[in-house]
Amino acid sequence: MQSVNDIRAAFLDYFGSAEHAIVPSSPLVPRNDPTLLFTNAGMVQFKPNFQNHAASPYRRAASCQKCLRTSDIERVGYTLRHLTFFEMLGNFSFGDYFKREAIAYAWELVTSPEWFGIDKSKLYATVFGGAEVAP
């Protein structure tokens, strides 16, 4: 991968090839959501689907969501880790798959030579001990 554009395109191409609808970024100011001033995560546009307030038009989706966070705005400029605007890549399932499949997708994307091709020996995977892998 050469650039941010290459990474973004590869992520969306990968999940598109895995039958995910590629959903455009929603606005930075969320529509019809009085609980948020700004879109601060990739799943914001899917909140109604996750909260069962709306039926999802997708079984699977992937997006590159523009996000704005201000929780540590006073630290911006003092370190390279603090920022306010960024794009969050995400893949989502609406009852179609769960953690086991999400982990398999992520592993394939990161390690496969056709995609990001990171050497498996350079990766460390951790699992939260109380997490269930299947519904």
Side-chain angles (χ1 to χ4, degrees):
M1 299 295 134
Q2 295 293 326
S3 70
V4 170
N5 290 334
D6 293 335
I7 293 169
R8 181 188 310 112
F11 180 90
L12 295 174
D13 288 348
Y14 172 78
F15 282 102
S17 73
E19 301 179 5
H20 288 66
I22 305 305
V23 181
S25 180
S26 62
L28 273 176
V29 177
R31 296 183 190 121
N32 304 318
D33 188 344
T35 67
L36 293 172
L37 184 58
F38 299 110
T39 297
N40 61 359
M43 58 76 58
V44 167
Q45 66 179 310
F46 303 114
K47 276 176 63 177
N49 308 117
F50 287 122
Q51 295 173 332
N52 294 323
H53 297 304
S56 176
Y58 326 102
R59 290 179 314 117
R60 304 170 174 192
S63 66
C64 178
Q65 176 60 53
K66 294 173 185 74
C67 297
L68 182 73
R69 291 188 180 167
T70 59
S71 60
D72 59 355
I73 198 163
E74 71 283 351
R75 304 284 302 160
V76 172
Y78 292 100
T79 73
L80 297 175
R81 295 177 310 186
H82 295 86
L83 47 95
T84 54
F85 177 78
F86 58 97
E87 293 178 319
M88 185 177 287
L89 299 171
N91 60 294
F92 306 91
S93 170
F94 304 100
D96 190 50
Y97 63 85
F98 198 59
K99 291 179 187 179
R100 182 178 309 275
E101 295 85 357
I103 292 166
Y105 281 129
W107 189 256
E108 180 181 29
L109 173 65
V110 170
T111 62
S112 172
E114 300 90 54
W115 300 102
F116 295 142
I118 297 174
D119 183 349
K120 294 175 187 177
S121 69
K122 295 183 180 188
L123 297 174
Y124 293 88
T126 61
V127 178
F128 174 68
E132 289 187 34
V133 178

